[in-house]
Amino acid sequence: MIDELMAAGQYAAALEKLADLSDEEVRLKRLICLNSLGEFEKAKLEGKAAKAVAKETYYDVVGQYIMSLKECEDYEEAINILIEELSMPYIPYEYENAFNTAYDEILLAKQDAAYGNEKKQIFSSEEIEVILNKDDVNDDLLYMALDQLQQLNVRILMPSIRQYLENPKKPPFAKTLIMETLIEQQVDEELEVSKFHDYYTFNPSYSPLVLEQMCYNGIGKELVRVLEDENASLLNQCLDYLEYYLYVIYPKDIYEDEYSLAAAALHYYVATLQNIEVDEMDLEIAYNVSMSQVENMLLALKEIE
């Protein structure tokens, strides 16, 4: 009868019949009914009690309890529970996936609430550590966390940062943002960075920031020399893409004898993206390169798309 009432959406009627508070299945169903009715404050109290006695229903209860905490904007408690659950040595896959999704959503909701109250509320080091260690992270959440990483002492997160930089599956642009934070905080440690099937040794204490590299100015000057009078709009787009490209490949260096080639490839690539026709012979003359060289570098540019 109770299951039929719940299936029909008659949650208030079902709730009246769920009276045996010593039964964990009853507790779970009460929690589902309260959440479905939008009685989130009551659901939060029910969830806390249900979680304390749950065994067979434990993960379902936690999922419903997290929902009520989120709706009540009790983000800290929800985050603490999720961190605890996700740090367990074993959790059934379907629940792990759901809890990871809930964690991302609640952190974003927490941040939105902080901005709405016109106060800066940064993620804790524990929250950022969970984000770094997760295999699949919402992009907005990731870059928000990396922005706030700058306000923490990164040394307390070095084990997770090392793993992040070494992991070939982590996004290269995000790795560079982490490396710049390490540089700004003058971390003196040899680190290994994986990017595009290559590995680099990186020590923040004597490494330049991305846009302080000689190659940034060198390639930029080549683009300015060729495009400043010809197409100022295309020049600006090329310079913007140059910044992006250097952030993605960092700490790989581009040497002085490669500046013209890099500029030619960027010119050709960005123009193609904008459907601007480029005379290949003019390009070769302007940058003193061959199209065969440019085509080889275009492959590298396409790899980072």
Side-chain angles (χ1 to χ4, degrees):
M1 173 66 73
I2 293 173
D3 289 339
E4 286 81 355
L5 288 171
M6 292 176 67
Q10 298 181 38
Y11 297 108
L15 192 59
E16 291 180 359
K17 298 181 180 297
L18 292 165
D20 185 1
L21 300 185
S22 64
D23 187 318
E24 65 173 289
E25 189 70 34
V26 168
R27 284 283 195 182
L28 171 61
K29 289 179 179 178
R30 285 176 59 85
L31 184 52
I32 293 171
C33 288
L34 288 168
N35 276 332
S36 299
L37 290 167
E39 299 282 354
F40 299 115
E41 288 291 345
K42 292 180 180 178
K44 184 171 73 170
L45 296 174
E46 186 72 41
K48 186 173 184 178
K51 181 173 179 285
V53 300
K55 294 177 182 174
E56 297 296 324
T57 61
Y58 180 78
Y59 290 111
D60 290 317
V61 165
V62 170
Q64 289 291 322
Y65 185 27
I66 293 298
M67 181 192 302
S68 62
L69 289 169
K70 178 185 175 186
E71 294 298 331
C72 293
E73 299 186 6
D74 196 346
Y75 301 129
E76 292 298 335
E77 180 63 20
I79 288 167
N80 289 338
I81 291 172
L82 287 167
I83 288 176
E84 181 181 0
E85 295 300 330
L86 291 169
S87 66
M88 291 293 105
Y90 171 75
I91 177 173
Y93 174 76
E94 62 273 23
Y95 294 103
E96 180 181 17
N97 191 46
F99 289 174
N100 271 314
T101 300
Y103 185 83
D104 288 356
E105 292 174 352
I106 290 170
L107 279 182
L108 288 170
K110 172 187 173 184
Q111 191 68 7
D112 287 343
Y115 287 141
N117 292 330
E118 297 183 352
K119 62 181 181 180
K120 186 72 171 179
Q121 181 177 352
I122 67 170
F123 297 150
S124 68
S125 59
E126 290 82 6
E127 291 164 357
I128 292 177
E129 185 173 30
V130 171
I131 293 170
L132 291 176
N133 291 336
K134 287 177 65 176
D135 291 331
D136 187 20
V137 183
N138 175 286
D139 283 347
D140 290 339
L141 180 62
L142 172 62
Y143 290 108
M144 199 180 297
L146 295 184
D147 178 59
Q148 296 189 1
L149 179 65
Q150 300 174 57
Q151 302 173 45
L152 299 176
N153 181 349
V154 293
R155 290 166 179 81
I156 64 177
L157 290 170
M158 286 310 297
S160 294
I161 287 174
R162 285 191 211 97
Q163 292 179 12
Y164 195 96
L165 296 178
E166 292 171 2
N167 189 338
K169 295 181 180 179
K170 298 295 186 181
F173 193 92
K175 289 181 181 180
T176 300
L177 295 182
I178 292 173
M179 286 189 281
E180 287 212 313
T181 298
L182 295 173
I183 292 169
E184 289 166 351
Q185 297 196 19
Q186 299 181 326
V187 173
D188 187 2
E189 183 174 336
E190 292 289 328
L191 300 168
E192 187 175 73
V193 181
S194 170
K195 284 195 177 183
F196 301 105
H197 315 295
D198 288 320
Y199 287 87
Y200 305 90
T201 299
F202 167 73
N203 188 316
S205 66
Y206 58 76
S207 297
L209 296 169
V210 175
L211 301 186
E212 291 180 355
Q213 298 177 101
M214 293 179 64
C215 61
Y216 174 62
N217 289 325
I219 298 169
K221 286 179 180 178
E222 285 295 304
L223 289 167
V224 169
R225 179 180 61 79
V226 174
L227 286 171
E228 186 172 32
D229 295 330
E230 178 184 325
N231 190 328
S233 175
L234 179 59
L235 170 61
N236 289 331
Q237 292 172 340
C238 288
L239 292 174
D240 287 342
Y241 196 84
L242 170 61
E243 291 187 14
Y244 170 74
Y245 176 63
L246 293 179
Y247 264 91
V248 171
I249 68 169
Y250 188 83
K252 180 179 180 180
D253 198 7
I254 299 176
Y255 300 107
E256 186 174 359
D257 60 356
E258 300 173 305
Y259 292 171
S260 292
L261 174 58
L266 286 165
H267 178 162
Y268 189 90
Y269 184 71
V270 174
T272 302
L273 291 178
Q274 300 300 319
N275 294 317
I276 299 173
E277 186 174 349
V278 178
D279 186 298
E280 295 183 358
M281 184 175 294
D282 287 346
L283 189 80
E284 289 178 321
I285 294 171
Y287 292 100
N288 192 29
V289 296
S290 69
M291 275 308 298
S292 60
Q293 291 174 302
V294 171
E295 287 167 0
N296 286 334
M297 186 164 179
L298 287 174
L299 295 176
L301 291 174
K302 291 177 181 178
E303 187 179 7
I304 71 172
E305 289 180 345

